Amino acid sequence: MELVSSLCNNGVIPASYVHPPEARPGNLIVPLGKSIPAIDLAGDRDQIQIIQAILKASEEYGFFQVINHGVSETLMDDTMDVIQEFHAMSAMDKEMECSKDPDGSCKLYTSSLGYLAENFHYWRDAVAHPCHPLEECLKFWPQKPIRYREVIGAYSIELRKLSSRILEMICEGLGLETGYFSSALSENPKILVNHYPPCPDPSLTLGLSKHQDPSIITLVLQGHIQGLQVLKDDQWIGVQPLPHAFVVNIGYLLQIISNGKLKGAEHRVVTNTEDARTTISYFVYPSSECLIIPAKILANQQNPPLYKGCKFSDFLTVYLSKAADKEAVEEYLKF
Ligand code: OGA
Ligand code: NI
């Protein structure tokens, strides 16, 4: 499977990337979601108001952005630089740098994990690897660009802190006991570096198909190029790139745990002809044996459980085998 970044696209998009009409993006230019709330984590509002804003955004959109979140801007810029440098390397170098683990924990792939089974491909290259505990994971990460391990290592630590802080606020907002998310539920975070090269015809393909994340929450650093769109009331809205913000979205697992109080939203990525877009997602994932069930205090006689419990690894198998199809995944989860 050839990486998108090495396809020689003399202004023509290869047939295997052309999506059938009903799956094409339609309007590439959608209203920017000014309505997707940007929440200031260090403003003069008190903690309770911040928690309320997070809960409200999570209920209404499944998405919000955070600013003044405490992660150093220099580190965010360095991270962007390093991941762009990575994707600018030759396909051979990328392949080599991502094959240091005989067990394959660090993966370089293109389109989606279902490349061989899918009917058409997506305009994206990706690298995915675990990032906690750092000492155990880092030794299988790329060593080129030379600062990859140092910078992405520091980034992973900061994102673990930030995601824990956000989850602690969500925990408080939902009335769950302190630390509800802090053990097995967030033990297995993953880094995903997405790269969407410029595309000769963005109207025919997508960078990432419509999906909802299989995580607890996901934090995305999207840089300054537009492309991420969120489905809200059957309309696509763009997630406006804000300088040094993180985009946070609610995954299926938090939807289950909150018994549907917080809802994830489907989102997708469109491409553009001009600029490569490189993003980095931090997925908060549980350990594979972890049982995902609605929290007891949120599922009771007044609010019957909407979802049956499932082991995280079983959920992920279904999610991948159904290619993230929302109806199929929700059918599986239904009580
Ligand atoms: C993801 C995702 C958005 C982006 O990695 O699940 O939705 O803008 N990424 O790359
Ligand atoms: Ni996503």
Side-chain angles (χ1 to χ4, degrees):
M1 50 186 92
E2 198 174 3
L3 297 177
V4 180
S5 47
S6 7
L7 289 171
C8 96
N9 44 65
N10 35 25
V12 182
I13 171 169
S16 58
Y17 288 83
V18 175
H19 295 193
E22 67 282 3
R24 290 178 195 167
N27 289 341
L28 290 164
I29 313 287
V30 296
L32 274 181
K34 291 225 166 50
S35 42
I36 288 184
I39 300 174
D40 186 339
L41 296 188
D44 36 13
R45 291 196 297 180
D46 60 31
Q47 184 78 358
I48 306 240
Q49 288 173 310
I50 298 174
I51 292 175
Q52 279 167 352
I54 291 178
L55 267 269
K56 186 159 184 283
S58 306
E59 285 166 22
E60 289 180 8
Y61 294 91
F63 264 79
F64 55 93
Q65 305 207 48
V66 290
I67 53 172
N68 289 323
H69 40 62
V71 179
S72 123
E73 297 190 352
T74 313
L75 178 61
M76 296 172 82
D77 294 342
D78 285 352
T79 298
M80 230 349 134
D81 290 346
V82 163
I83 60 175
Q84 285 170 355
E85 280 168 43
F86 177 87
H87 279 286
M89 299 189 318
S90 72
M92 211 170 75
D93 276 356
K94 281 183 266 197
E95 191 53 61
M96 203 162 71
E97 293 305 317
C98 293
S99 40
K100 296 177 192 289
D101 183 4
D103 291 333
S105 67
C106 181
K107 286 188 185 61
L108 172 71
Y109 61 98
T110 189
S111 187
S112 82
L113 283 170
Y115 186 92
L116 294 174
E118 68 200 8
N119 294 326
F120 43 83
H121 302 313
Y122 296 92
W123 202 258
R124 168 186 74 152
D125 295 333
V127 178
H129 55 64
C131 56
H132 180 79
L134 193 56
E135 327 68 78
E136 283 172 32
C137 310
L138 186 112
K139 56 179 184 268
F140 298 127
W141 293 2
Q143 282 169 299
K144 252 166 90 174
I146 197 123
R147 295 181 67 205
Y148 190 97
R149 291 185 180 180
E150 175 202 331
V151 171
I152 306 303
Y155 185 80
S156 305
I157 289 174
E158 287 306 303
L159 273 270
R160 184 162 168 84
K161 280 192 221 152
L162 177 59
S163 58
S164 303
R165 188 171 150 214
I166 293 171
L167 281 171
E168 207 46 61
M169 289 193 273
I170 289 177
C171 190
E172 197 175 326
L174 288 173
L176 301 175
E177 70 212 58
T178 309
Y180 195 91
F181 297 102
S182 68
S183 54
L185 283 172
S186 57
E187 208 166 81
N188 216 357
K190 278 216 166 71
I191 290 275
L192 173 64
V193 179
N194 295 300
H195 178 67
Y196 312 93
C199 174
D201 192 344
S203 72
L204 299 178
T205 194
L206 281 167
L208 207 53
S209 67
K210 178 169 89 168
H211 71 284
Q212 186 177 320
D213 293 357
S215 58
I216 305 269
I217 56 173
T218 308
L219 277 63
V220 182
L221 175 59
Q222 68 160 342
H224 63 281
I225 312 286
Q226 282 178 39
L228 175 58
Q229 303 182 342
V230 177
L231 197 58
K232 161 78 173 150
D233 304 328
D234 291 326
Q235 298 270 71
W236 289 105
I237 50 177
V239 180
Q240 185 178 24
L242 297 177
H244 295 110
F246 288 102
V247 179
V248 183
N249 80 75
I250 306 303
Y252 273 118
L253 307 184
L254 184 51
Q255 184 174 324
I256 300 170
I257 293 165
S258 71
N259 199 30
K261 183 164 164 59
L262 309 186
K263 286 189 189 61
E266 290 183 290
H267 50 286
R268 66 180 188 183
V269 173
V270 299
T271 60
N272 73 83
T273 51
E274 300 299 317
D275 302 298
R277 181 167 179 272
T278 306
T279 68
I280 177 166
S281 305
Y282 180 93
F283 295 94
V284 177
Y285 280 144
S287 52
S288 51
E289 294 301 305
C290 195
L291 192 62
I292 312 297
I293 42 168
K296 283 213 178 58
I297 63 156
L298 300 175
N300 44 44
Q301 255 162 5
Q302 289 80 40
N303 295 295
L306 298 176
Y307 307 104
K308 67 172 185 223
C310 57
K311 227 167 59 174
F312 176 55
S313 55
D314 293 340
F315 169 75
L316 207 53
T317 306
V318 171
Y319 177 89
L320 292 172
S321 73
K322 305 287 184 194
D325 179 74
K326 191 176 172 72
E327 255 176 52
V329 172
E330 295 204 331
E331 185 58 37
Y332 165 77
L333 290 175
K334 227 167 55 189
F335 201 65

